[in-house]
Amino acid sequence: FFFFFFVHPPAFFLTPSWLAMRGWLTKRGQVHKSWKRRWFVLEAGGRLVYGETAETVERAPRGEVSVPSVTQVLVGKQCGCRFPPEATPWSFALVAGSRTLYLWADTQAEQEAWLAAVAHFLPENVRAALRKDLNSRETSAVVPSSTARKPPAVAPKPLAASTSKTQTTLDTGAKPLGVSVGFLLQFLTKHALGESSTAEVCRTIVLPATDATHSLVDTLQHQIDPKTGKPFVGEANVFVSHAWACKFADMLATVLAFAEEEQQKRRSQEEHQQEPQQEHQPQQQQQLQQQQHQQQ
């Protein structure tokens, strides 16, 4: 088994080069300063586009912001903007040149997911300032410490229309890679995870260990399990969805228990398939002996 991990809210991928995010946000107009609900799409190259619906964004976006050109990210009260009474507390703003894009999300989880996704494409100094700000808050948004990443091998396909809230897509035509049971066992024994959550493990272990490639599968791509002689990375065939707040050790234990149970099922099926063959072997031998005796 090779496991591909996905965290909810959708903010961190083991292969972030596939990152594309979409969902509803409310934005302030540039001219009339009125607040409108818009469908936003963050493309894999860092282009943030929006429009009235998912369909119109695909055909002709109403506006766009290049995230790599953003010079400051403001969160919550830092926005310094008068929000309407119906606004949620989960606001943020992107400053790019003379323009400031004021936004609010429906929930805290969606705000954190957008901030973490946008952070992948921010200039390093802007991302560092955002990371420092979020670390001082009670938030689970994980902001990467490096922009080093490989460009996507396949351009992302157009995102399909959807009425759901914040979503992600891995629909790029590329087959996702995952990590093996052997690696998970090694990870579990190597690190004292204790009560650490997924967010804490990503921030303190995974991100520092993948600073050069910004991808765990790229870091492990050519490494071999010394116990089995098999690679740590392969085409993913198990999808694992879990939450930032869950205990990482519990999640790994569940995944490993699943792998062991599936292996036992396979062994049982193989043994069951071999039993009829073994039963027929004595009969075949007896028939062969009878034929030989008749020939004599």
Side-chain angles (χ1 to χ4, degrees):
F1 295 101
F2 290 94
F3 296 90
F4 179 85
F5 289 88
F6 173 79
V7 188
H8 182 82
F12 180 81
F13 292 83
L14 299 183
T15 49
S17 60
W18 298 334
L19 181 63
M21 191 165 176
R22 57 186 177 177
W24 291 106
L25 293 169
T26 302
K27 68 172 287 292
R28 193 181 77 166
Q30 292 295 112
V31 179
H32 300 291
K33 311 301 181 185
S34 59
W35 294 88
K36 301 291 185 180
R37 190 169 173 81
R38 295 288 184 253
W39 181 259
F40 279 78
V41 175
L42 177 61
E43 298 176 349
R47 178 172 173 255
L48 182 64
V49 297
Y50 59 86
E52 285 85 354
T53 65
E55 293 89 345
T56 57
V57 170
E58 291 183 19
R59 293 197 306 268
R62 285 290 299 270
E64 66 177 79
V65 172
S66 174
V67 176
S69 67
V70 169
T71 57
Q72 190 177 11
V73 179
L74 306 173
V75 182
K77 295 180 180 179
Q78 291 180 345
C79 294
C81 174
R82 179 177 293 181
F83 289 89
E86 66 271 20
T88 70
W90 318 121
S91 59
F92 60 100
L94 305 178
V95 182
S98 60
R99 181 186 181 186
T100 301
L101 182 65
Y102 294 99
L103 306 162
W104 87 66
D106 291 340
T107 66
Q108 181 181 7
E110 292 180 20
Q111 179 211 46
E112 293 175 351
W114 276 106
L115 288 173
V118 165
H120 282 279
F121 307 102
L122 291 172
E124 187 172 352
N125 62 320
V126 181
R127 186 174 57 259
L130 175 60
R131 184 171 65 251
K132 182 178 179 181
D133 176 46
L134 294 180
N135 286 342
S136 66
R137 302 165 182 259
E138 292 184 0
T139 173
S140 60
V142 177
V143 176
S145 59
S146 171
T147 56
R149 61 178 178 272
K150 294 184 177 181
V154 182
K157 297 179 181 178
L159 301 177
S162 174
T163 56
S164 63
K165 295 191 176 182
T166 303
Q167 301 176 14
T168 58
T169 178
L170 298 176
D171 188 16
T172 64
K175 294 182 178 180
L177 299 177
V179 293
S180 67
V181 172
F183 170 76
L184 296 180
L185 285 169
Q186 185 187 86
F187 189 92
L188 192 60
T189 56
K190 181 178 179 180
H191 300 284
L193 301 178
E195 301 293 311
S196 298
S197 65
T198 295
E200 292 169 337
V201 171
C202 285
R203 183 170 55 251
T204 60
I205 300 176
V206 177
L207 289 177
T210 59
D211 194 60
T213 62
H214 203 65
S215 168
L216 185 57
V217 293
D218 285 346
T219 302
L220 300 172
Q221 186 71 53
H222 304 294
Q223 295 189 26
I224 302 297
D225 187 344
K227 293 185 177 180
T228 64
K230 297 180 180 180
F232 278 142
V233 173
E235 184 178 321
N237 50 19
V238 180
F239 180 87
V240 182
S241 177
H242 56 116
W244 286 113
C246 76
K247 294 180 183 179
F248 197 74
D250 289 350
M251 185 274 297
L252 282 189
T254 302
V255 168
L256 293 172
F258 163 81
E260 177 61 27
E261 182 179 346
E262 289 299 308
Q263 288 175 349
Q264 289 180 354
K265 288 181 180 179
R266 288 185 180 181
R267 286 194 291 266
S268 297
Q269 290 175 353
E270 290 174 356
E271 292 174 357
H272 182 70
Q273 291 173 354
Q274 291 175 356
E275 285 178 0
Q277 297 177 359
Q278 293 174 353
E279 290 177 357
H280 289 307
Q281 284 179 357
Q283 296 178 1
Q284 293 173 351
Q285 290 176 355
Q286 186 176 5
Q287 291 175 355
L288 181 60
Q289 290 175 356
Q290 291 177 352
Q291 290 175 0
Q292 291 176 348
H293 180 72
Q294 292 174 356
Q295 292 174 357
Q296 291 176 357

